[in-house]
Amino acid sequence: MAADDLLDAPATWGATMTAVGRFELAPVRLDRDLALVHRWMNDPAVAAFWELAGPLSTTESHLRAQLDGDGRSAPCLGVLNGTPVGYWEIYRADLDPLARHYPARPHDTGIHLLIGDASHRGRGLGSILLAAVADLILDRRLFCTRVVAEPDMRNTPSVAAFLSAGFRRADEVDLPGKRAALMIRDRPHPRLS
């Protein structure tokens, strides 16, 4: 199976319209995006939960591991109306160590995200974009029946954003370095008519 097949090529999913404008996931390119992602990772509010603050080489190593990996995780920029506003990782949760902590289903797809600049936080943008990305995943990954995430329990704004985006809090799990809220958004069942 080709690496792109593991996630059904997020780079090809295209844009979607949201209440705040046109949104799309753009694959991270080190030559273009490293400095921006590094700046975001060194924001104290982000660093508290991502634990990737430090020199440029720390961010580069994190991104390169995914870019050169087996396709289980795709690092992307979230681009709103042509402007990068956040960093996203779309990953195969069923192939991730997370799967040992909950009853994973084949093709479960996970989300990690951060909203980059502080000016974009605390306004509901995260909830809108989380809902849009979950919709994209469920629309483009036909065998995926649910989207999962595991924000740190201490990151109450993130947990609230997932809840507002239609996720439910299914459990609490102990992961390396954090106690996480297991958030799940199920594919809606088709209507019977």
Side-chain angles (χ1 to χ4, degrees), residues 3-27:
D4 276 350
D5 291 344
L6 288 176
L7 284 165
D8 300 314
T12 67
W13 293 353
T16 187
M17 288 306 296
T18 71
V20 292
R22 184 177 186 274
F23 180 77
E24 64 186 313
L25 294 171

Side-chain angles (χ1 to χ4, degrees), residues 17-40:
M17 288 306 296
T18 71
V20 292
R22 184 177 186 274
F23 180 77
E24 64 186 313
L25 294 171
V28 164
R29 284 189 10 220
L30 286 177
D31 62 329
R32 177 191 67 198
D33 305 321
L34 178 59
L36 177 63
V37 176
H38 175 255
R39 180 170 54 85
W40 289 341

Side-chain angles (χ1 to χ4, degrees), residues 85-152:
V85 296
Y87 171 73
W88 297 73
E89 293 172 354
I90 310 301
Y91 68 98
R92 281 289 296 270
D94 62 322
L95 303 177
D96 189 81
L98 174 64
R100 294 191 297 261
H101 299 275
Y102 80 105
R105 295 180 189 161
H107 301 280
D108 276 358
T109 304
I111 296 175
H112 294 143
L113 83 145
L114 65 86
I115 301 297
D117 293 319
S119 64
H120 294 298
R121 296 182 206 135
R123 303 180 337 188
L125 183 63
S127 296
I128 293 168
L129 300 183
L130 277 168
V133 170
D135 287 345
L136 277 172
I137 290 168
L138 293 170
D139 287 346
R140 305 307 196 273
R141 301 204 68 239
L142 300 180
F143 295 111
C144 174
T145 61
R146 60 189 182 177
V147 181
V148 302
E150 76 302 331
D152 192 305

Side-chain angles (χ1 to χ4, degrees), residues 129-192:
L129 300 183
L130 277 168
V133 170
D135 287 345
L136 277 172
I137 290 168
L138 293 170
D139 287 346
R140 305 307 196 273
R141 301 204 68 239
L142 300 180
F143 295 111
C144 174
T145 61
R146 60 189 182 177
V147 181
V148 302
E150 76 302 331
D152 192 305
M153 291 290 300
R154 299 169 298 149
N155 191 346
T156 54
S158 181
V159 173
F162 278 101
L163 291 170
S164 294
F167 287 74
R168 63 184 164 81
R169 190 166 139 185
D171 203 354
E172 292 181 18
V173 294
D174 290 313
L175 300 175
K178 68 179 179 181
R179 180 141 181 93
L182 178 65
M183 309 299 292
I184 296 177
R185 180 163 168 202
D186 295 295
R187 177 184 296 281
H189 293 289
R191 282 188 171 167
L192 299 175

